[in-house]
């Protein structure tokens, strides 16, 4: 059985939904959990400190160790503060799970600076500043696990939805961040992966416990990625309805990047147009 005794985890957005399922499971397996949630409304505004406090209380009532935090992670300083608070409370940090997110719709023609800024803040800036704050601690320990969150809505064009440009950009950005952090953390025992979850939560306008696509069906994947049992870095773990599949982009054989892509040689755009199906031979048309 995977155990996380003596491990300390920060889980953002863990007062409800997927994050709460992650926090409960990690606490059940022995982790001391910082339940972070600013208690914002579905539209990303507002503030309710009771969301984190109530979730932490439920974990403690079940016999786990949990500490609530409701700091709004809208700046580098606030991200640093969350990590510093964790150190003051528990003395270490082994696991960072960035689950907090925001889903809202604006077409590219309707897109406003405030809307885009909010999406960039939670999906790009927050995980970056949290990782920056966590890395020195994890390096000193020569151990760390970071789990970011991406989405099939961003990865696969067939699942993209009109109006989700800001959301998709942020979720793809976390894949780029994951890849670089996996390289920077490798020699220090820091592994960085991403979860791409599907679950019926308030983002789906689901308030009650669903019969399928439950958050607790995703949580085992996050537990694994956050545990010492995980030995891989730079993977995306897709999780939906109790099923899991791992993926990452891997270069084809015989490539000598960047001089030789081991690909179709083309000298004109017209030639490229003629041979497009050969160039895109790995894609189903």
């Amino acid at each position: 059985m995977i155990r996380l005794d003596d491990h300390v985890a920060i889980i953002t957005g863990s007062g409800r939904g997927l994050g709460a399922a992650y926090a409960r499971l990690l606490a059940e397996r022995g982790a001391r959990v910082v339940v972070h949630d600013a208690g914002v409304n579905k539209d990303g505004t507002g503030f309710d400190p009771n969301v984190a406090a109530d979730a932490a209380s439920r974990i403690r009532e079940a016999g786990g160790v949990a500490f609530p935090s409701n700091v709004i992670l809208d700046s580098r300083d606030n991200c640093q503060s969350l990590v510093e608070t964790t150190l003051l409370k528990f003395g270490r940090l082994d696991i960072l799970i960035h689950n907090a997110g925001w889903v809202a719709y604006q077409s590219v023609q309707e897109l406003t600076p405030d809307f885009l800024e909010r999406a960039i803040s939670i999906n790009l800036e927050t995980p970056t500043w949290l990782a920056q704050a966590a890395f020195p601690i994890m390096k000193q320990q020569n151990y760390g696990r970071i789990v970011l969150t991406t989405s099939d809505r961003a990865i696969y064009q067939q699942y993209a939805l009109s109006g989700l440009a800001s959301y998709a950009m942020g979720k793809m950005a976390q894949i780029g961040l994951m890849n670089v952090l996996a390289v920077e953390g490798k020699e220090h025992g820091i592994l960085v992966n991403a979860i791409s979850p599907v679950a019926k939560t308030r983002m789906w306008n689901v308030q009650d416990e669903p019969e399928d696509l439950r958050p607790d069906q995703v949580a085992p994947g996050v537990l694994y990625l956050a545990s010492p049992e995980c030995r891989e870095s730079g993977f995306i773990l897709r999780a939906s309805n109790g099923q899991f599949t791992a993926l990452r982009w891997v270069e084809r054989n015989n490539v000598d990047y960047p001089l030789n892509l081991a690909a179709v040689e083309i000298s004109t755009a017209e030639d490229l147009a003629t041979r497009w199906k050969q160039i895109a031979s790995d894609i189903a048309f």
Side-chain angles (χ1 to χ4, degrees), residues 27-206:
E28 287 174 9
R29 297 303 182 94
R32 292 170 286 173
V33 177
V34 175
V35 176
H36 167 269
D37 204 304
V40 299
N41 300 320
K42 186 180 173 183
D43 65 1
T45 64
F47 174 75
D48 184 356
N50 292 322
V51 172
D54 291 347
S57 179
R58 287 191 291 271
I59 289 173
R60 291 193 297 268
E61 289 171 0
V65 178
F67 177 78
S69 170
N70 53 43
V71 61
I72 298 177
L73 300 178
D74 60 353
S75 69
R76 181 185 182 188
D77 287 346
N78 284 357
C79 292
Q80 183 75 43
S81 174
L82 175 59
V83 172
E84 290 174 352
T85 299
T86 301
L87 283 182
L88 288 173
K89 181 66 179 178
F90 295 120
R92 60 183 295 119
L93 174 61
D94 304 278
I95 301 163
L96 170 63
I97 300 170
H98 182 53
N99 165 74
W102 175 60
V103 182
Y105 294 77
Q106 273 193 1
S107 72
V108 69
Q109 287 183 267
E110 300 168 329
L111 190 61
T112 64
D114 287 347
F115 189 98
L116 180 59
E117 183 179 346
R118 182 174 295 168
I120 289 173
S121 176
I122 193 63
N123 287 316
L124 177 56
E125 294 179 355
T126 296
T128 302
W129 299 136
L130 286 172
Q132 183 185 68
F135 247 62
I137 302 161
M138 293 179 173
K139 280 185 176 182
Q140 187 174 16
Q141 298 168 171
N142 200 38
Y143 179 88
R145 297 291 185 269
I146 296 176
V147 182
L148 303 176
T149 303
T150 186
S151 173
D152 290 2
R153 297 292 187 197
I155 299 171
Y156 298 97
Q157 190 275 331
Q158 61 263 47
Y159 301 140
L161 294 176
S162 177
L164 280 187
S166 297
Y167 175 81
M169 284 189 287
K171 293 304 183 182
M172 286 299 285
Q174 291 194 55
I175 295 176
L177 178 62
M178 173 197 72
N179 285 332
V180 174
L181 293 183
V183 172
E184 294 187 4
K186 184 176 181 180
E187 64 181 295
H188 305 287
I190 304 170
L191 305 185
V192 187
N193 294 286
I195 189 79
S196 182
V198 182
K200 291 179 179 178
T201 65
R202 67 179 181 136
M203 297 303 178
W204 285 45
N205 294 315
V206 175

